[in-house]
Amino acid sequence: MVHFQQIALSNGLFLGEILLASSRLNAQSLPMVLKIREQIEAWRHDPALVAVLVRGEGERAFCAGGDIRALYHAMSQPEFLHEGDDFFRHEYDLCRELHRYPKPVIAWGNGIVMGGGWGIFAASSHRIVTESSVLAMPEISIGLFPDVGASFWLQQLQGQIGRLLALTGSRLNAADALAFGAAEFALPSCSFTDLIITLQALPWSGAGERDAELASGALAALSAAWPCPLPESVWLPLADEVAAICAGDDLLAICGRIQNYQGDALALRQAAALQAAGSPTSIYLTWEMAQRAQALSYDEVVEMEWIGARNCLRHGDFHEGVRAKLIDRDDQPEWSPKALSLVKVADIESFFQSP
C-alpha cells in the first residue's frame, strides 16, 4: 500500500507526502508504483504543491526494494511474464520522473534503503539518512543486477566504492552514505516531527530551483541543530584499499582480488563472501551494464536496464535466486554457470537485446 497526504505550510501552500507502507519492509508492488506515478503527476501541475516528501512506514525501512515474490510468481507462469515487464517498466519510469522532477523531492531514508528503495532515494533531490540507515544494491544475490538507474548513479559515488557495492552487494551505513555522496544530510530518527515543523515554516515560493536551495539551507541548518549519532564509517578508512582492489578494466582480475583478499578488514572479507555466493552471470552483467552506462545518458541507461531486466525475467538465475533466497529459503541457489570464468560473452550480449 501507499498513502498520500498534503501537509499545510505556513504560507498557505502544501507539501505532498508519500508514505510507503507494506508488510514486506515497504517493498514496492506494481499497484503502489502506479499510484505514486499518478499522484506525482497530479502534484507536478498543482501550483499550491511546492515539494514532495517520501518516507517509509514504521522505523525499520524506507523501502527494501520491489516485491520480488510477485516477480517470482510472474516468472513461474509464462502467461504472467508481462506483469514482471510492467513492474520494471513503471518502477524505472517512476525513478526517472523523480530524477527530473521540477519540485524538490525530500527522501527520509530511515532504516533499510535497498534495491528499488535506493532507486527512489537516489532519484530524490534531497536525501536524508538517520543513524539506522543501511543502503545496498544486493541484486547479484538473487540473479538480477543493480538497476533502477544504479548502473549510472552508483558510479557517481566517490572513489571506487560504487563498483565494489555493485559487484558484491555490500552495504553502506549512514556515515558512509554521507562520506561517499549517497546522501547529503543526516538527522536523528527521533527528529522527524521537527523536520516537518521546519519545512512548514519555510517561505516556499513555488519556484522549483529557488525552493530547492531553500530546502537545502534549511536541512543543513537542522542537521547542525540536531547532530545525528552516526555509526563509525566502515568504508572511508578502507577507501585506498577499495580503490586498489577495484582498479582497472579487467573484471576477472578485480573479482580475483576481492576473492583473494587476505587483509584484516572484516568488511572486505564479508564483501568477498557475498560475491562468492552471488550469481556469476549477474556479476558479469552488472559489470557490463556499468561499462556501457559510461557512454550513455541517464535515460539511455534506464532503457538499457529495462531490456536487461526483462531478459532476467526470462533466464534462469533470477528465478533460481529468488527461489533460494525468499521462497524455499535454502540459500543454495544452483547458478548456471557456477563460475565467473565460465560465463560466455555471447550470453551476456543477449541481455542487451529486446526479448
Side-chain angles (χ1 to χ4, degrees):
M1 294 179 63
V2 60
H3 306 289
F4 308 101
Q5 70 166 327
Q6 293 189 174
I7 299 171
L9 305 174
S10 61
N11 59 1
L13 301 176
F14 295 91
L15 173 73
E17 182 185 63
I18 300 171
L19 178 65
L20 306 172
S22 74
S23 59
R24 295 172 181 166
L25 298 174
N26 303 325
Q28 306 168 67
S29 64
L30 178 58
M32 287 173 65
V33 173
L34 290 172
K35 288 179 181 178
I36 296 171
R37 290 192 66 195
E38 180 181 10
Q39 186 62 70
I40 64 171
E41 182 61 21
W43 282 343
R44 176 196 300 270
H45 301 290
D46 184 348
L49 201 296
V50 296
V52 175
L53 172 69
V54 190
R55 67 184 179 100
E57 184 178 57
E59 295 301 318
R60 294 184 62 195
F62 172 73
C63 174
D67 187 347
I68 301 300
R69 289 175 181 269
L71 290 174
Y72 178 81
H73 292 303
M75 288 187 283
S76 300
Q77 304 172 74
E79 66 270 25
F80 293 112
L81 266 177
H82 68 278
E83 295 183 1
D85 292 340
D86 289 346
F87 173 77
F88 281 122
R89 174 76 280 170
H90 289 287
E91 183 191 31
Y92 294 2
D93 281 346
L94 170 60
C95 290
R96 178 158 45 187
E97 288 158 5
L98 291 173
H99 179 74
R100 61 161 60 99
Y101 206 63
K103 303 177 183 185
V105 179
I106 302 166
W108 175 254
N110 187 53
I112 295 171
V113 184
M114 292 186 180
W118 195 351
I120 290 176
F121 190 74
S124 301
S125 60
H126 295 69
R127 297 167 292 183
I128 306 168
V129 289
T130 75
E131 69 276 8
S132 70
S133 297
V134 177
L135 287 69
M137 296 299 290
E139 281 78 6
I140 65 164
S141 69
I142 56 169
L144 192 56
F145 59 89
D147 58 345
V148 286
S151 303
F152 177 87
W153 48 256
L154 276 179
Q155 298 184 74
Q156 309 304 309
L157 301 182
Q158 295 179 22
Q160 292 280 17
I161 191 66
R163 177 175 283 188
L164 183 78
L165 297 181
L167 293 176
T168 66
S170 297
R171 302 179 174 190
L172 297 182
N173 65 24
D176 290 314
L178 291 171
F180 290 97
E184 294 80 32
F185 309 99
L187 289 169
S189 56
C190 63
S191 68
F192 183 75
T193 298
D194 291 85
L195 169 64
I196 297 299
I197 292 171
T198 297
L199 295 176
Q200 285 179 307
L202 294 179
W204 301 93
S205 66
E209 291 187 10
R210 188 185 310 164
D211 284 344
E213 293 177 1
L214 181 72
S216 294
L219 291 173
L222 189 61
S223 298
W226 274 86
C228 183
L230 294 172
E232 289 188 15
S233 171
V234 172
W235 294 108
L236 196 56
L238 303 174
D240 289 343
E241 282 188 274
V242 169
I245 288 171
C246 293
D249 56 5
D250 186 330
L251 174 61
L252 289 177
I254 293 168
C255 291
R257 290 194 290 268
I258 292 172
Q259 291 302 308
N260 295 321
Y261 176 75
Q262 299 295 321
D264 297 327
L266 176 60
L268 283 169
R269 295 201 300 271
Q270 291 173 332
L274 286 169
Q275 187 182 77
S279 159
T281 299
S282 289
I283 293 168
Y284 203 128
L285 180 57
T286 294
W287 170 264
E288 187 62 26
M289 286 277 182
Q291 295 300 104
R292 297 188 184 205
Q294 295 178 36
L296 301 177
S297 69
Y298 178 86
D299 284 353
E300 289 170 334
V301 168
V302 171
E303 289 304 308
M304 176 182 69
E305 289 183 345
W306 184 56
I307 292 172
R310 291 173 65 205
N311 280 302
C312 285
L313 288 169
R314 289 158 173 80
H315 296 282
D317 271 6
F318 189 22
H319 185 274
E320 173 62 10
V322 178
R323 180 207 64 76
K325 184 68 69 173
L326 297 176
I327 306 301
D328 297 337
R329 296 189 176 185
D330 57 24
D331 232 9
Q332 296 294 322
E334 289 291 331
W335 302 129
S336 179
K338 296 180 180 295
L340 189 61
S341 60
L342 299 177
V343 178
K344 298 178 181 178
V345 174
D347 290 339
I348 296 301
E349 284 290 336
S350 70
F351 283 91
F352 295 88
Q353 307 299 321
S354 294

